[in-house]
Amino acid sequence: SGTGSEACASCPEDTTSPAGSASAAACVDDSVTTCDANMYLDSGACVSCLANTESVAGSTEATSCVCTAGHTGASCDECAANSYKSGTGSEACSSCPENTESVAG
């Protein structure tokens, strides 16, 4: 019968845990957690980058996630038909050369 009535315990000094953690084992030192590629560290937990973005392994903030090739702008939208972008980042898409075309993305 005391289910749900226990108070949350604090993590030890210099450690954090994600919201909803159920045990002290979730408390980790941010400085030693390394996330895989396409993820970033947020409050001691690795979080996936948003759709159409990627990051390098070891990223520590959401801004490390950049648009993938074929996507552009702040929201990493697909390049429009007849345009392309071969690199990562938020740079604009380029128009296809004369007498060529492409589908969106």
Side-chain angles (χ1 to χ4, degrees), residues 52-55 66-71 85-91:
N52 305 322
T53 67
E54 64 186 19
S55 68
V66 296
C67 297
T68 56
H71 298 88
K85 188 179 83 131
S86 59
T88 59
S90 59
E91 294 79 22

Side-chain angles (χ1 to χ4, degrees), residues 2 5 8-9 14-15 22 24 28 33-35 37 45 52 54 59-61 72-73 75 84 89 96 99:
S5 63
C8 294
D14 298 326
T15 65
V28 294
T33 300
T34 301
C35 298
N52 305 322
E54 64 186 19
S59 295
T60 58
E61 49 193 49
T72 188
S75 300
Y84 69 97
C96 289
N99 300 320

Side-chain angles (χ1 to χ4, degrees), residues 3-77:
T3 303
S5 63
E6 284 187 42
C8 294
S10 297
C11 285
E13 189 173 343
D14 298 326
T15 65
T16 59
S17 67
S21 297
S23 74
C27 298
V28 294
D29 181 346
D30 284 348
S31 66
V32 296
T33 300
T34 301
C35 298
D36 294 335
N38 304 322
M39 302 185 91
Y40 63 94
L41 188 64
D42 183 21
S43 299
C46 293
V47 178
S48 294
C49 290
L50 297 176
N52 305 322
T53 67
E54 64 186 19
S55 68
V56 297
S59 295
T60 58
E61 49 193 49
T63 55
S64 299
C65 299
V66 296
C67 297
T68 56
H71 298 88
T72 188
S75 300
C76 297
D77 298 317

